[in-house]
Amino acid sequence: MAGSQGHDAYLRNALSKYQYPDLAKRDILQAFSNFKDLRPNVDSFVFNDGNRKELLCLEGTIPVTYRGTTYNIPVCLWLLETHPYNPPMVYVKPTATMQIKPGQHVDANGRVYLPYLHEWRHPQSDLFGLIQIMGIIFGENPPVFAKKTGGPPPRPGYPPGGLPYPLPGGGTPPYPMQRFMPMPSVGGPTNPPYPAYQPSYPPTSYPSAGAGSGGYPGGGYGGYPPQGSSYPATSSYPGSQGYQPSQPSFATPTTAAMQQSAAISDEQIRLSLVSAVEDKMRRRLKEIFAQAQAEMDALKKTQDDLNNGKTKLDDMISRLRAEQNEVGRSLEILTEKDNEIREALRKMESQNDLNIDDAVVTTAPLYKQLMNAFAEEQSIEDAIYYIGEALRKGVIDLDVFLKQVRELSRQQFMLRALIQKCRQKAGLPEIG
């Protein structure tokens, strides 16, 4: 509980400059709850372009299962200021006795490249899932191996738990084992802190570190040598290519020891295969789940688009039906008016003499008065025009023109005032 509270206070201060401190803190604490060897640390990170920035780093070791045995691999996870919406920068940090083995997922500088980082997407991706994937990948191809030494190393002191398994006959190991930095292991105190070769029957030759072997084993599961192979005399790490000692200094193990060692190795191979299959099945199920989730999201979006399109189509159909009803009503009115016009034409054709005053009939006396005033006003307008033409042609003189125009204009003014008043009474718009 005290460690959790200490992390909580430290992270609250370290994540103060981050854009999403609450999300980043929740992600980090979840990783700490599952991987106890990780510790937070704020340090300066130098980017490739020379820029330097203070970032939060998760340092420590993660457990890696190789051939049925759990080892500790030192790593460092740098979190960007936009975490968890951007992937962290992951590095392998070898100790003084380790050396990085470049491969498909680790470069010469220790930078880790994984599809999980390339396809990082919050909230599906998190630090806990990343470290699990790293454990699976490093279990298949460890990213570090032990450095070769110039001479035979001294006999190391063993931890309280001793070797991973007892030697046949209760004797000492046939050759000394290199000792590394003691790191805690989730597998218990009996697990070695790094992957090492089997001490009961080392192979007669090993490929070099560039070929994927060394103190830290390379990728893939190599075969075991046949019974009766001899042990190397001076090399503490099987790092040389096809090295054969001229004068072996250790005795050849007995047939019973070789059989017991082979039985232990077969059990380790079986456990390793079961663990690898479980990890690969878990990773494959996670990929299938992520793919199915993406397909479900795409189908959900398609369903939403179809529902929106259906709503728009329903609105368009409703408007079209309303317009269709309106057109039907207008067609009925047009048909009625057409019948009325045809009936009026038929009556007019049957009559020989047509009185123009009887042809135009108003619906109310007010409209009749308005129509008569308008007709009289228009006739005065025509009279003024023709009097002007007569003056222009010299038919009348100027005095007669002015007298007649003055009289007609007075009548026209009175008629226009009457028209305006009639329109007001009838509720018609005023004439501009």
Side-chain angles (χ1 to χ4, degrees):
M1 181 64 69
S4 176
Q5 293 178 354
H7 286 331
D8 187 89
Y10 186 85
L11 291 176
R12 188 183 304 109
N13 184 31
L15 297 173
S16 59
K17 297 182 180 179
Y18 277 60
Q19 297 183 13
Y20 311 100
D22 295 336
L23 296 177
K25 178 181 174 182
R26 188 182 305 116
D27 192 15
I28 295 170
L29 291 179
Q30 182 185 7
F32 284 168
S33 65
N34 292 277
F35 300 95
K36 306 296 184 180
D37 295 337
L38 295 178
R39 296 293 182 271
N41 182 31
V42 176
D43 203 349
S44 180
F45 183 85
V46 180
F47 292 87
N48 294 333
D49 55 1
N51 292 330
R52 185 184 299 272
K53 182 171 292 187
E54 296 292 329
L55 297 177
L56 178 62
C57 173
L58 308 185
E59 298 178 326
T61 61
I62 61 173
V64 174
T65 301
Y66 180 76
R67 295 185 178 179
T69 305
T70 301
Y71 305 97
N72 295 307
I73 301 298
V75 295
C76 178
L77 290 80
W78 294 89
L79 307 185
L80 297 175
E81 292 181 344
T82 55
H83 188 83
Y85 288 95
N86 288 100
M89 298 175 291
V90 184
Y91 288 85
V92 176
K93 293 184 62 177
T95 62
T97 56
M98 302 180 189
Q99 184 173 346
I100 296 176
K101 183 185 71 174
Q104 179 182 1
H105 301 290
V106 181
D107 62 10
N109 296 323
R111 181 72 181 269
V112 178
Y113 301 92
L114 295 174
Y116 191 86
L117 293 171
H118 181 70
E119 300 171 359
W120 183 279
R121 185 177 64 178
H122 179 76
Q124 288 80 9
S125 304
D126 53 20
L127 294 176
F128 175 64
L130 171 62
I131 298 175
Q132 283 185 319
I133 296 296
M134 290 170 57
I136 296 172
I137 297 299
F138 292 167
E140 298 175 353
N141 189 6
V144 292
F145 64 95
K147 293 181 179 179
K148 293 184 294 184
T149 56
R155 181 182 300 274
Y158 292 359
L163 292 175
Y165 51 87
L167 292 176
T172 59
Y175 56 89
M177 295 175 59
Q178 179 68 20
R179 192 174 186 181
F180 280 79
M181 177 181 64
M183 300 179 184
S185 172
V186 297
T190 59
N191 293 329
Y194 62 93
Y197 58 89
Q198 300 296 333
S200 296
Y201 55 103
T204 56
S205 63
Y206 290 85
S208 63
S213 63
Y216 274 66
Y221 300 101
Y224 287 81
Q227 298 288 340
S229 58
S230 62
Y231 296 90
T234 60
S235 175
S236 61
Y237 296 99
S240 60
Q241 181 71 25
Y243 175 77
Q244 297 289 343
S246 57
Q247 294 180 356
S249 58
F250 299 100
T252 303
T254 62
T255 303
M258 294 297 294
Q259 291 177 353
Q260 182 178 359
S261 178
I264 295 175
S265 299
D266 292 339
E267 179 65 17
Q268 289 181 344
I269 291 176
R270 188 187 69 80
L271 294 176
S272 177
L273 291 177
V274 171
S275 176
V277 170
E278 290 179 353
D279 293 339
K280 289 186 177 181
M281 288 295 295
R282 189 180 299 108
R283 180 175 56 185
R284 181 57 180 166
L285 289 176
K286 188 173 183 180
E287 293 176 355
I288 294 175
F289 177 77
Q291 182 179 0
Q293 184 66 32
E295 293 177 355
M296 289 179 61
D297 293 341
L299 292 176
K300 182 66 169 59
K301 184 178 182 301
T302 303
Q303 182 182 9
D304 295 340
D305 295 340
L306 291 175
N307 291 333
N308 294 334
K310 181 178 180 296
T311 304
K312 293 180 180 179
L313 288 176
D314 292 339
D315 294 340
M316 293 175 62
I317 291 174
S318 299
R319 290 197 300 268
L320 288 175
R321 287 177 178 174
E323 293 177 0
Q324 183 181 7
N325 296 332
E326 185 67 24
V327 170
R329 289 193 296 267
S330 300
L331 184 59
E332 292 177 358
I333 296 173
L334 180 60
T335 303
E336 293 177 358
K337 297 298 182 182
D338 182 66
N339 294 332
E340 292 178 1
I341 292 174
R342 292 180 183 276
E343 183 65 24
L345 290 176
R346 187 182 61 78
K347 291 180 180 181
M348 291 176 62
E349 291 176 355
S350 62
Q351 296 178 359
N352 296 328
D353 297 332
L354 178 62
N355 188 0
I356 191 63
D357 293 332
D358 296 336
V360 180
V361 180
T362 59
T363 59
L366 180 61
Y367 293 150
K368 184 177 182 179
Q369 183 182 9
L370 178 61
M371 183 183 65
N372 293 334
F374 182 76
E376 188 175 354
E377 190 270 335
Q378 291 297 316
S379 63
I380 291 175
E381 185 74 24
D382 294 340
I384 293 174
Y385 171 77
Y386 285 109
I387 290 175
E389 288 294 319
L391 177 63
R392 186 176 62 81
K393 294 179 180 180
V395 176
I396 60 175
D397 54 9
L398 181 59
D399 295 336
V400 176
F401 172 77
L402 293 176
K403 181 179 180 181
Q404 294 296 326
V405 169
R406 187 182 299 111
E407 183 66 24
L408 292 174
S409 297
R410 187 181 295 110
Q411 295 178 10
Q412 187 181 30
F413 175 77
M414 296 302 295
L415 289 171
R416 286 184 177 179
L418 179 60
I419 292 172
Q420 189 70 21
K421 189 173 183 181
C422 291
R423 293 181 68 88
Q424 291 178 356
K425 290 292 184 181
L428 298 175
E430 296 181 359
I431 300 177

